[in-house]
Structures are given as structure tokens and as C-alpha cells.
């Protein structure tokens, strides 16, 4: 077996026995800005002349599987091409893996022409779109002592949702660089406190603590109400129909 080398001028060289490896020596003048085939180090070109979407070029990753004999099969692939018809330059980049019969790789993820990324969908609706036919989940985890977080960052600041560390099982909601709400491992909810000792605890150390129950309708007879129930049966109520009227 010989090794073939493609140099930066796209010339082929056979340089001897090196287990059939392919070496590529490429050069490109591109640093930033517009990318085209003229400044690419490697260009994969599909010469098909047809006005159709999903036209493109594929890179496959293959090896041999064994079923009594060794057979070549494609395990994964990357495809780049156009995702629209007509006189456009819209392009996509899709990723494929095989989890079934030999040479039956299916699309798993895609960057569309607007930069949206879809996992389980070829037409992502948002910047990141995760889709599936059954239960769909996104897992955020750490392997050490860090805190798994989901962060929301805008010009106004950073907000986040965090889980506990190690054996500490809780969920915290952080707004304005401070924790505002916590659900602990027993399902107790604390607003303004990190240590709720009842199913719901509301705390505010900046002044008077207020819990508002508001009915915005103006119809006579409608009221705000607080029910006390046992086994889903209402026992006692506190209700207000007018200001300071219980």
C-alpha cells in the first residue's frame, strides 16, 4: 500500500508504502471576510445542473463490519449544499449517523442558511431547535463540583436557572445577580429565602412583606379569595370584594 500526497498546487505524489494513508498539504490565503471556492484550501464541488433543493456534496466516514464476512459500511456523513430552489446562494450543513442497517445513515442535525441549528429537525424554527417524536430532553450536567446552569443573557443583564451541587438537590432562579426563588429537595418553595421550612415561604428583608391576590375584573360579586382545603375539599375561605372589605 502506498501513501498519496496532494500538495498545495493540487498535484498528486506517490511517496511509498505507508499503509494506504492519504496526506493533504493545502494552503489558503483566507483570514477573515467572505469565503468562496477561490480562497478555499479544499473545495468539494457537485457539478449537477438542476434547480432542486438538497443538492450538495457529501463526506462519508466508513469502515468494515463483520457478519461472517467483512463488509464496508458508512457510519456517518457530513453534507453541505443548498436548502432552497431558485436563484439563491442559500446553503446548509447537515450531519448524519447510522444506527440501523448498513449504509442507511439518517440526518441528525443541521445548520440552515440563516445559521439556525436543528437537532432532530431539518427546518429549525429558532437559533437552537431540538425536536423528537417521543419524550425530548436537553441535559446540562457537570462531572465535577460545578453547578449546572441555564443562562439567559441580554443587554439588560444575566438571569439563570441553576440546580444543586452533588447530593444537594434543589432548583434556583436567579434574577439581577441574586437568587429570587428556590425549590428545595422536599418540593418546598422559597421566595426571598434559601431555607423554606413550609411548602411555600415568602420572605422580604427590605421592608413589609406582601403577598398579593388580585382579581382585575370590575364585575360586582367577583372577589379575590384564599381557600383552605383538605383532601381537595374547601373548608374555610378568606375573600375580599372591595378594598379593606373581608
Amino acid at each position: 500500500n502506498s501513501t498519496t500526497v496532494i500538495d498545495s498546487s493540487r498535484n498528486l505524489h506517490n511517496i511509498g508504502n505507508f499503509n494506504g494513508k492519504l496526506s493533504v498539504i493545502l494552503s489558503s490565503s483566507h483570514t477573515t471576510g467572505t469565503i468562496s471556492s477561490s480562497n478555499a484550501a479544499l473545495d468539494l464541488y457537485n457539478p449537477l445542473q438542476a434547480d432542486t433543493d438538497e443538492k450538495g456534496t457529501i463526506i462519508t466516514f466508513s469502515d468494515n463490519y463483520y457478519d461472517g464476512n467483512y463488509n464496508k459500511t458508512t457510519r456517518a456523513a457530513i453534507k453541505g449544499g443548498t436548502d432552497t430552489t431558485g436563484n439563491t446562494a442559500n446553503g446548509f450543513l447537515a450531519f448524519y449517523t447510522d444506527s440501523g442497517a448498513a449504509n442507511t445513515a439518517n440526518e441528525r442535525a443541521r445548520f440552515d442558511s440563516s445559521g439556525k441549528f436543528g437537532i432532530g429537525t431539518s427546518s429549525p424554527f429558532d437559533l437552537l431547535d431540538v425536536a423528537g417524536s417521543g419524550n425530548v430532553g436537553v441535559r446540562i450536567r457537570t462531572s465535577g463540583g460545578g453547578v449546572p446552569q441555564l443562562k439567559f443573557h441580554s443587554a439588560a443583564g444575566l438571569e439563570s436557572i441553576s440546580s444543586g451541587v452533588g447530593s444537594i438537590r434543589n432548583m434556583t432562579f436567579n434574577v439581577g445577580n441574586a437568587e429570587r426563588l428556590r425549590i428545595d429537595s422536599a418540593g418546598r418553595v422559597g421566595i426571598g429565602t434559601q431555607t423554606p421550612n413550609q411548602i411555600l415561604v415568602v420572605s422580604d428583608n427590605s421592608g413589609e412583606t406582601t403577598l398579593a391576590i388580585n382579581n382585575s375584573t370590575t364585575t360586582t360579586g367577583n372577589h379575590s379569595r384564599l381557600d383552605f382545603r383538605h383532601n381537595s375539599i374547601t373548608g374555610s375561605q378568606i375573600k375580599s370584594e372591595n378594598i379593606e372589605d373581608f
Side-chain angles (χ1 to χ4, degrees):
N1 295 325
S2 63
T3 292
T4 302
V5 173
I6 306 175
D7 65 20
S8 58
S9 298
R10 300 181 183 178
N11 298 313
L12 297 178
H13 304 275
N14 190 318
I15 61 173
N17 190 350
F18 289 95
N19 297 320
K21 295 180 181 178
L22 172 66
S23 298
V24 183
I25 304 173
L26 301 170
S27 64
S28 172
S29 60
H30 183 268
T31 54
T32 61
T34 302
I35 293 177
S36 67
S37 60
S38 62
N39 59 25
L42 178 64
D43 178 44
L44 303 180
Y45 172 63
N46 182 347
L48 177 65
Q49 295 182 354
D51 185 14
T52 180
D53 62 354
E54 298 298 317
K55 178 175 60 179
T57 305
I58 300 173
I59 303 173
T60 59
F61 303 86
S62 304
D63 63 11
N64 293 316
Y65 73 93
Y66 183 73
D67 62 355
N69 297 296
Y70 287 101
N71 302 278
K72 181 180 179 181
T73 184
T74 299
R75 303 293 189 181
I78 300 173
K79 179 180 178 180
T82 177
D83 60 5
T84 59
T85 60
N87 184 24
T88 73
N90 294 345
F92 72 86
L93 187 65
F95 302 85
Y96 295 72
T97 61
D98 192 342
S99 63
N103 299 309
T104 58
N106 294 302
E107 182 177 326
R108 308 300 183 185
R110 169 183 297 223
F111 284 104
D112 73 4
S113 58
S114 63
K116 297 174 183 175
F117 187 60
I119 301 175
T121 176
S122 60
S123 54
F125 184 78
D126 286 301
L127 191 60
L128 174 61
D129 192 341
V130 181
S133 58
N135 295 330
V136 179
V138 177
R139 176 177 292 187
I140 303 174
R141 60 179 177 176
T142 64
S143 58
V147 177
Q149 293 182 318
L150 180 61
K151 296 184 177 181
F152 306 88
H153 197 183
S154 68
L158 177 66
E159 281 68 54
S160 65
I161 301 174
S162 306
S163 70
V165 180
S167 61
I168 301 174
R169 306 294 298 276
N170 57 48
M171 187 72 70
T172 61
F173 298 80
N174 307 281
V175 180
N177 297 317
E179 180 181 319
R180 306 300 182 183
L181 185 147
R182 172 180 296 237
I183 304 173
D184 71 9
S185 59
R188 295 172 297 209
V189 178
I191 301 175
T193 177
Q194 297 182 0
T195 56
N197 57 7
Q198 301 295 328
I199 194 68
L200 173 62
V201 177
V202 180
S203 177
D204 185 0
N205 60 11
S206 63
E208 182 178 328
T209 300
T210 301
L211 177 63
I213 302 175
N214 181 50
N215 186 336
S216 60
T217 65
T218 59
T219 304
T220 301
N222 288 341
H223 45 257
S224 299
R225 189 175 75 186
L226 181 62
D227 288 350
F228 298 88
R229 298 184 178 186
H230 176 71
N231 197 25
S232 300
I233 300 174
T234 300
S236 301
Q237 299 176 345
I238 299 175
K239 61 182 180 181
S240 174
E241 184 172 337
N242 300 302
I243 299 176
E244 298 181 352
D245 179 16
F246 283 91

